[in-house]
Amino acid sequence: MKHITFITTGQPSTNPRLVKEAETLIKLGYQVKVICCFYQGWAREFDQEIINRNQGVYIYCGGDPVHEKLSYYKTRLRQKTSLRLFNYTKAFGIPENAISRTHAEALYIARSIQTDLYIAHNLGALPAAVLAAKFNHARVGYDAEDMHSGQFKTKTEKGYLLNKFIEEKYFPQTDYFTAASPLIAQNYKQVYPYLDPVVINNVFPKTDLPIRPNTDTALPLKLFWFSQTIGAERGIENIIEAMALIDKPTELHLLGNCSAGNELAIMELAEYNHLAPGQIHFHKPIAPDELFKFAAQFDIGMATETAPNLNRDICLTNKIFTYIQAGLAIIASDTQAQRLFMEQHPTTGCLYQKDDITSLTNCLLEYAENPESLIQTKQMNYQLGQTELNWENESRIFQRVVESVTSS
């Protein structure tokens, strides 16, 4: 029986892709452990449900600001100190502790687990996975949900230099490399030709959600947008401006963690654009497994990335696949990744020119004025999620990757 250990710098609820992979391997009979740490306070209650259905799998490290304050603040201080020292030295584990608050703790736990394969889920977890694998003579896999060195606007930023250092040092030591979008894989391959990235799309398991089409034209057109955090530079401002330009009653529902300041800014923008208070709705984060049922009550899923950096331009977020699985029509900005997706699946929705309010308004009008087209698109997307774009299909790629590494 093979043993697999995942390492992440987040929590289960903030990394549904890791949870899907871990639970897939558990069902296949692998012995699985997941080393994780505190990341977001809102995710704590949702983590418990995942932990309960996977007893003995998840191992937390590095403390938290509520129950293990000493460990938490000690690790935060170490990371801040390491970030400052990174300017002067790349030795003594400084870069590794700078990129991950819990590098030392994760490495200590990982080395104590006899495993066949360590899988790092995000760049901060990769050093611990590689070093533990060396210690235990194991293999290493890396999953790129993002292109981390592409998250910065300039190559002079400390964050870019740190991410680039970790990539260059540890990527050559991986035994497999998966990516969450075709363009992340392509761009990493261009920068590091020795890599051979395998694309595993960020799809979800099939759902049983009969679509209840909105056939009453008097009802509002319901738009849905979600993320872990509701904030600026995510296209929400553009949605509000476009809503003000169409006559049909329209609602925007935002799901995620939203600060009081961001909520106020959004409501002030809505008021400035003469939207009624009832047209904007905020929803608190919910458990990942409940997201699809929640989303299914809306009409259009908004994928309004503004691509402030290369990574946001080439990543294919889980929004697209969530909307499909929930049976929503899609309105997406023309980032490189979303444009490629819509070219491959043109019936899933409407593509608009990012930051072009007229282009976005035209997409909204297309569905507002053609309710039959909206109903048909919703139904087709739901079927696409049931037949093609689902984790049942994509997980077979992941399974083959793991088997090829652990069997050799």
Side-chain angles (χ1 to χ4, degrees):
M1 184 179 295
K2 298 294 184 180
H3 291 69
I4 311 290
T5 298
F6 291 83
I7 307 177
T8 179
T9 55
Q11 295 164 248
S13 293
T14 65
N15 196 338
R17 183 175 172 90
L18 179 151
V19 174
K20 286 182 296 187
E21 291 189 359
E23 294 188 346
T24 294
L25 294 181
I26 291 171
K27 290 177 182 177
L28 290 171
Y30 289 86
Q31 289 292 314
V32 174
K33 297 291 184 182
V34 178
I35 302 170
C36 55
C37 65
F38 174 85
Y39 177 56
Q40 296 281 353
W42 62 262
R44 191 192 311 273
E45 63 175 292
F46 305 129
D47 286 347
Q48 199 57 52
E49 180 182 337
I50 298 171
I51 294 167
N52 288 344
R53 70 173 184 250
N54 300 283
Q55 293 290 334
V57 170
Y58 290 88
I59 306 170
Y60 282 76
C61 65
D64 65 72
V66 177
H67 302 294
E68 297 180 72
K69 294 182 180 180
L70 182 61
S71 295
Y72 176 70
Y73 288 108
K74 181 188 74 173
T75 55
R76 286 192 62 185
L77 177 61
R78 182 181 61 213
Q79 185 178 29
K80 288 182 178 180
T81 303
S82 297
L83 279 168
R84 292 176 181 173
L85 291 175
F86 178 73
N87 290 333
Y88 308 102
T89 179
K90 309 298 184 286
F92 313 113
I94 295 300
E96 290 79 2
N97 284 293
I99 202 167
S100 170
R101 176 179 69 84
T102 57
H103 166 72
E105 290 75 15
L107 176 57
Y108 177 80
I109 296 171
R111 286 176 56 166
S112 70
I113 301 173
Q114 289 294 325
T115 195
D116 299 285
L117 171 66
Y118 294 92
I119 303 176
H121 262 258
N122 59 47
L123 196 60
L126 183 57
V130 169
L131 296 173
K134 284 184 177 180
F135 182 80
N136 285 320
H137 307 289
R139 298 296 188 91
V140 180
Y142 178 68
D143 183 62
E145 287 196 56
D146 295 283
M147 186 176 187
H148 289 278
S149 57
Q151 292 176 317
F152 307 92
K153 295 181 179 180
T154 71
K155 294 184 178 181
T156 59
E157 295 176 62
K158 182 184 290 187
Y160 169 81
L161 297 173
L162 175 59
N163 281 264
K164 189 68 173 176
F165 177 87
I166 296 296
E167 287 179 358
E168 291 179 343
K169 181 176 180 180
Y170 289 100
F171 278 179
Q173 302 180 68
T174 58
D175 296 289
Y176 83 69
F177 193 105
T178 55
S181 84
L183 293 184
I184 290 176
Q186 178 181 309
N187 277 264
Y188 263 139
K189 179 69 173 178
Q190 289 174 351
V191 178
Y192 305 108
Y194 56 82
L195 292 176
D196 188 20
V198 176
V199 177
I200 299 178
N201 286 308
N202 214 4
V203 293
F204 296 93
K206 299 176 185 179
T207 57
D208 184 13
L209 297 170
I211 303 304
R212 298 181 296 277
N214 176 6
T215 56
D216 187 345
T217 57
L219 292 175
L221 188 68
K222 293 186 177 182
L223 315 179
F224 180 52
W225 183 101
F226 78 96
S227 187
Q228 292 185 13
T229 302
I230 300 171
E233 290 193 323
R234 304 299 301 277
I236 296 172
E237 301 89 346
N238 295 340
I239 301 173
I240 291 171
E241 292 181 49
M243 288 171 63
L245 299 177
I246 65 174
D247 291 332
K248 182 177 174 62
T250 311
E251 296 177 0
L252 173 60
H253 292 257
L254 304 169
L255 172 68
N257 191 43
C258 187
S259 68
N262 281 332
E263 182 172 341
L264 178 61
I266 290 170
M267 293 306 296
E268 287 179 343
L269 180 62
E271 183 179 1
Y272 177 80
N273 283 276
H274 307 292
L275 298 185
Q279 288 185 261
I280 309 294
H281 300 263
F282 294 88
H283 303 275
K284 297 293 185 183
I286 60 178
D289 291 344
E290 297 174 7
L291 178 58
F292 307 98
K293 183 178 179 180
F294 182 85
Q297 66 185 297
F298 306 112
D299 297 307
I300 302 174
M302 307 298 294
T304 53
E305 297 298 335
T306 58
N309 54 54
L310 174 62
N311 177 64
R312 301 308 299 179
D313 202 19
I314 64 175
C315 72
L316 196 55
T317 68
N318 60 8
K319 286 185 179 64
I320 293 280
F321 299 112
T322 298
Y323 298 150
I324 287 173
Q325 200 59 245
L328 306 187
I330 296 169
I331 292 180
S333 58
D334 64 341
T335 64
Q336 289 187 57
Q338 294 185 162
R339 183 170 61 247
L340 177 61
F341 177 85
M342 297 296 272
E343 288 172 354
Q344 295 170 336
H345 304 280
T347 63
T348 55
C350 183
L351 191 72
Y352 73 94
Q353 298 172 10
K354 55 182 178 290
D355 294 323
D356 186 326
I357 305 303
T358 300
S359 180
L360 174 54
T361 302
N362 288 338
C363 282
L364 288 174
L365 285 171
E366 178 67 27
Y367 287 122
E369 296 174 350
N370 298 281
E372 290 301 321
S373 174
L374 174 61
I375 292 170
Q376 184 180 33
T377 302
K378 293 178 66 175
Q379 293 173 335
M380 290 173 62
N381 281 356
Y382 181 74
Q383 288 303 314
L384 183 63
Q386 298 304 295
T387 58
E388 181 182 343
L389 297 179
N390 55 63
W391 182 244
E392 283 80 358
N393 290 335
E394 209 74 2
S395 64
R396 297 189 186 101
I397 302 173
F398 173 63
Q399 181 182 346
R400 289 195 295 268
V401 170
V402 171
E403 289 176 346
S404 69
V405 172
T406 56
S407 63
S408 59

